[in-house]
Amino acid sequence: MKDFAPLKEWWTVAELAEARLPDLPATRQGIEAVAKSQDWRAQPGRARRRQARGGGWEYQWRLLPVRAQRQLLAGAGEEPDVSKPGLDRDACWRWFEALPDATKKAAADRLAVLREIEGLTPVSTKYLAVAMVANRIGKSERTIWNWFGLVEGVDPADWLPYLAPRHRMGHATGQKAQASEQFYEWLLADFLRLEGPSFRSCYRRVKRLCKQHGVAALTERTAQRWLDNKVPLVTQVFMRKGERGLMECFPPQIRDRSSLSALEGVNADCHKIDVFVTWPGFDKPIRPQIVAFQDLYSGKILSWRVDVDPNKVAVMSAFKDLLQTWGIPVNCLFDNGREFANKWLTGGAPTRFRFKVREEEPLGVLALLGVKIHWATPGHGQAKPIERAFRDIASDVAKDPRFAGAYVGHRPDAKPENYMSRAVELEDFLAVVAEGIAEHNARQGRLSATAEGRSFDETFAESYARAPVRKATDEQLRLCLMAQQVCKLHKSHGRMTLHKNGYWSDWMNELAGQTVVARFNPEDLHAGAYVYSLSGEFLGYAACQEKSEFFDLASAQAAAKERSRQLKAQRRAAKALRPISVGGLARDLDKLPKRAEAQVEAKVVKLANLEEIRRLEQRQKGPLIARPLATPQTTPEQDAQLLDFAESFGARKAEPVPAQETARERFFRAREIEARSEAGEPVGREEAAWYRRYSETPEYRSSLTIFDRFGADSIR
């Protein structure tokens, strides 16, 4: 039995890269990646070790894509001739599978005719059956007998591929159009780029280049077919649209949420509402941002807050509502925005890619509660199911009739005719948003896999009733539902300064000079702060010390009374700690026997140096008035030499001009003066005057705002 095959059956990776076969990469690295992804070496009998010098692997041609196999067979001048029985049935079926549906239907119709004739043969002769069927279907008897000839000697189970019309195996008799290699290179370089030009414009430019250089080119339609055969569609999309376009070639991941339960996972995101709102403190209307937490199992929006922009205070407030109302979730899905990756919420998370991680960084709310953090792919809305809920808010809530005239449109080029004709008051806006979210949760007929026609409220309530939900205790709420900041207590009295407010209680004296973590309510700084160690241990509560008027007698009396109370308490504590007074201790020491001091007599005495005394007495005393010495006369040349000598050896070098101070150095110089002032260390008059002038400049205020929000590394 003779089997059809190309002239070369076994190929190395380098040979496949040089052959540039259809649907295969043109580089060695690309071929190796395809072989690894399709596991060619695991195919028995189709991969083997190369015996020649250099070793490596060889792969059989049957592992290649269909179009690559066809090209190899065309080069060998042989094709599977299905008219000859006894050929490899696997090859015939592979060839048949690659045929279009119309050809397959024609083969199936022929097979049905032959089956019908085979069914009539037991009751009549085969010639009579062929004549009857040929008359019924309008075919000649010779045609049907030819069909029987195609399957002669073939198993009836394999008749279908042998009955396919053989014109599909024909070859084009005309000569294929050829072009210069430069034409192909220019066309690929122009078409396969991220700007995504049209093929027609690329072809026109390449045609002009070919005409200028006198090289052959293909027609436009032929060039289009050549390009589609040469470069797979996925490769074209990647080279013309980049990674984002490549992701569109793959279907999105289907994640099953039916295995979850209520509060087993939540996801959160921010959304700018397309409505103008009059916000206190702003001269012009703004578009507020909503921060919402959604249950992954049911799709219900559990908590939300509205603010002027996405920030960590709004996120923490919304998360506080979630904990107080429903409980502690097991998993949280966020994107990597600054508002969600803040240290208040995610401090201590090993997979955070925002802000600098420090050793003294305190644990965030989620780490303290044992909540697992998951980060969604940036810029990939399908990774966060809450984006679907925001679409409802954009279409239903933002277009509410009560917001008529304040709607801004969902795109800059989709502004309504009455754009910015009015703005909604904040109270009215919050009421409509609350009503819209409640309606979103209560709407019946939800088609998700978990809702099954119910509302999000009903779906969540049914799972919440039987789910093991963790409730937050008062200690956890006190520990976690606040902002946090690392502070250093005053080295003398232990007072803590936080956002220009002082916090102090008497127990803080014991921790003076230490670094602690302050947890506070960012919406009410006067409510005091809870102080923790860097390891998370609760130390105590510190009350906010409000400033009083300079001549406020009542405040002064209250402060004096508090100091007097502290003094009395310390005296009582000192008396309790020291039962014996200092006088009693002194009397006990006086009762001890006196110790006699031992007398020591010198054995050797050194006499004075008589010679030195005699010399000093006999020295001659000089005159009281010294005569001036004569000054030698010098020439101008000698004076010039003396000046040169003085400049070379005696003149002092000019001091370097100090470098100009940068904005960063000025800011941290002011911070250093503040630290010394807060620590009670001396500050010079010139430094104090400079600090007062600099602290009123816009440079200092803007740098201080950036420092408070993002830390020292953000100052430039």
Side-chain angles (χ1 to χ4, degrees), residues 599-631:
Q599 298 294 330
V600 180
E601 183 178 358
K603 302 299 183 180
V604 179
V605 179
K606 183 180 180 181
L607 298 178
N609 193 338
L610 298 180
E611 294 295 334
E612 183 66 18
I613 295 175
R614 188 179 299 110
R615 188 185 64 80
L616 293 175
E617 290 178 349
Q618 294 178 358
R619 65 181 179 179
Q620 295 182 356
K621 298 181 180 180
L624 297 178
I625 301 176
R627 296 179 180 178
L629 299 176
T631 303

Side-chain angles (χ1 to χ4, degrees), residues 65-94:
V66 176
R67 293 200 300 170
Q69 294 186 26
R70 288 183 180 177
Q71 181 169 328
L72 293 178
L73 292 173
E78 295 184 8
E79 293 289 347
D81 187 3
V82 297
S83 63
K84 298 179 181 179
L87 294 181
D88 186 2
R89 60 191 302 267
D90 293 335
C92 292
W93 278 107
R94 282 198 303 271

Side-chain angles (χ1 to χ4, degrees), residues 472-622:
T473 63
D474 294 338
E475 290 76 13
Q476 287 176 319
L477 293 176
R478 182 189 65 196
L479 180 69
C480 301
L481 301 183
M482 294 185 180
Q484 61 183 4
Q485 185 169 331
V486 178
C487 303
K488 189 173 183 180
L489 303 182
H490 193 276
K491 68 177 183 179
S492 299
H493 46 70
R495 184 170 64 181
M496 177 178 60
T497 302
L498 187 65
H499 295 288
K500 299 184 179 180
N501 294 320
Y503 299 86
W504 185 84
S505 290
D506 52 4
W507 60 268
M508 299 174 70
N509 288 316
E510 302 296 330
L511 304 177
Q514 295 187 16
T515 302
V516 296
V517 178
R519 298 186 182 275
F520 56 93
N521 186 356
E523 298 178 349
D524 186 8
L525 295 176
H526 290 261
Y530 296 93
V531 183
Y532 293 80
S533 66
L534 293 178
S535 60
E537 300 173 355
F538 177 63
L539 301 177
Y541 172 78
C544 179
Q545 292 183 320
E546 298 185 8
K547 295 181 180 179
S548 59
E549 296 292 336
F550 191 83
F551 294 105
D552 189 354
L553 181 60
S555 299
Q557 291 177 348
K561 186 176 181 180
E562 177 64 20
R563 286 193 295 270
S564 177
R565 185 189 67 81
Q566 291 285 346
L567 181 59
K568 291 180 181 179
Q570 292 300 325
R571 285 175 178 173
R572 289 193 298 269
K575 186 176 181 180
L577 292 174
R578 193 174 60 190
I580 301 177
S581 63
V582 178
L585 178 62
R587 288 191 296 270
D588 293 340
L589 291 175
D590 290 338
K591 293 178 182 178
L592 294 175
K594 304 299 181 181
R595 180 180 299 177
E597 185 175 357
Q599 298 294 330
V600 180
E601 183 178 358
K603 302 299 183 180
V604 179
V605 179
K606 183 180 180 181
L607 298 178
N609 193 338
L610 298 180
E611 294 295 334
E612 183 66 18
I613 295 175
R614 188 179 299 110
R615 188 185 64 80
L616 293 175
E617 290 178 349
Q618 294 178 358
R619 65 181 179 179
Q620 295 182 356
K621 298 181 180 180

